[in-house]
Amino acid sequence: MKYQRFKLLPAHLLHIQPFSGLLAFLFATIFFTKEYNTGTIKLSVAYGTKRTILYYTKAITILVVSLITYLIFVATFFVIEIIQSGYIPTASEVINLLGWALACGTVLLALESISIFLCVVIQNTGIVTGICCLYVFSGASVYLMLWSDMETVSIPLKFFVYGNPMYYWMNFSSCRTMGIIEHLPFYFIGCISLLIVGGLIMIRKEIK
């Protein structure tokens, strides 16, 4: 009984994955656009700091802080579950949970990379937040409709599903990784590529 409760830990965490993603891209959007909205970034540029340095410094700070915060949250949830269930996990179970948390954290970083890219292009917190919310929650709806026929759906729909964080979170939290984890590197690299493109756009973008 104790083991069964502990085994359901990833499934329990599924309920907070979309909301942790929501909080993550809200944090990324607000933190990234704050200096642009207030105009204080002009001071840094006026002092000779390169735009690319400002951009990548803020982006890396957002990603690192988000990943650490997420892992701390999962670790706290993990400890609470151990106390409540009374089950002492083995070293292999702890390693498996850590791998699961890192995989979900990687998806979180990819989502934030998209939100940072949108901030560069749009520079409007409300619009970026709305687009990200629609992107995340529509991904869950579309995947639930198509999951049993993923091999036969059109290529655009496959790209949308495989490029959506809910596809990974829903499968990882159900302890399904076969055929899923293979797509994660492409999703992550694609999102990081958007982050790099955002840096190139920032070089030419006018700071108001």
Side-chain angles (χ1 to χ4, degrees):
M1 185 67 180
K2 293 180 179 180
Y3 172 71
Q4 289 300 324
R5 176 167 178 165
F6 177 82
K7 191 177 179 180
L8 290 174
L9 178 59
H12 293 161
L13 282 170
L14 171 62
H15 299 105
I16 58 90
Q17 290 292 358
F19 300 102
S20 63
L22 177 64
L23 291 175
F25 66 68
L26 272 175
F27 162 70
T29 303
I30 294 172
F31 182 81
F32 186 84
T33 59
K34 183 178 180 181
E35 286 186 318
Y36 295 92
N37 293 335
T38 58
T40 53
I41 193 170
K42 292 180 180 179
L43 298 176
S44 300
V45 175
Y47 279 112
T49 306
K50 292 183 179 180
R51 296 183 183 190
T52 51
I53 294 177
L54 291 172
Y55 172 79
Y56 288 116
T57 299
K58 290 174 74 72
I60 291 172
T61 300
I62 289 170
L63 298 181
V64 170
V65 170
S66 297
L67 182 60
I68 293 174
T69 303
Y70 178 76
L71 292 178
I72 290 174
F73 174 80
V74 172
T76 303
F77 199 96
F78 173 68
V79 171
I80 292 173
E81 191 66 23
I82 289 176
I83 295 172
Q84 289 183 338
S85 66
Y87 177 77
I88 305 300
T90 63
S92 62
E93 288 171 337
V94 173
I95 292 172
N96 286 337
L97 182 63
L98 178 60
W100 174 88
L102 287 174
C104 290
T106 301
V107 176
L108 193 69
L109 297 185
L111 175 60
E112 287 188 318
S113 299
I114 295 174
S115 68
I116 292 172
F117 170 76
L118 290 175
C119 285
V120 174
V121 176
I122 301 174
Q123 289 188 339
N124 185 294
T125 305
I127 294 176
V128 171
T129 302
I131 291 174
C132 288
C133 286
L134 182 63
Y135 165 63
V136 171
F137 293 108
S138 64
S141 301
V142 172
Y143 179 53
L144 286 174
M145 290 188 292
L146 301 176
W147 71 272
S148 60
D149 299 307
M150 282 302 295
E151 297 300 324
T152 60
V153 299
S154 63
I155 292 178
L157 280 176
K158 283 185 179 181
F159 270 109
F160 178 75
V161 171
Y162 294 154
N164 194 283
M166 289 304 298
Y167 168 74
Y168 301 97
W169 284 336
M170 292 171 71
N171 281 290
F172 291 161
S173 297
S174 301
C175 299
R176 290 196 299 266
T177 57
M178 291 292 293
I180 310 297
I181 198 70
E182 290 85 354
H183 299 132
L184 183 56
F186 298 101
Y187 174 56
F188 182 71
I189 291 171
C191 293
I192 293 299
S193 298
L194 284 180
L195 201 63
I196 296 172
V197 172
L200 298 175
I201 295 174
M202 183 60 68
I203 296 174
R204 299 177 178 274
K205 201 169 186 67
E206 179 184 358
I207 297 178
K208 299 179 181 180

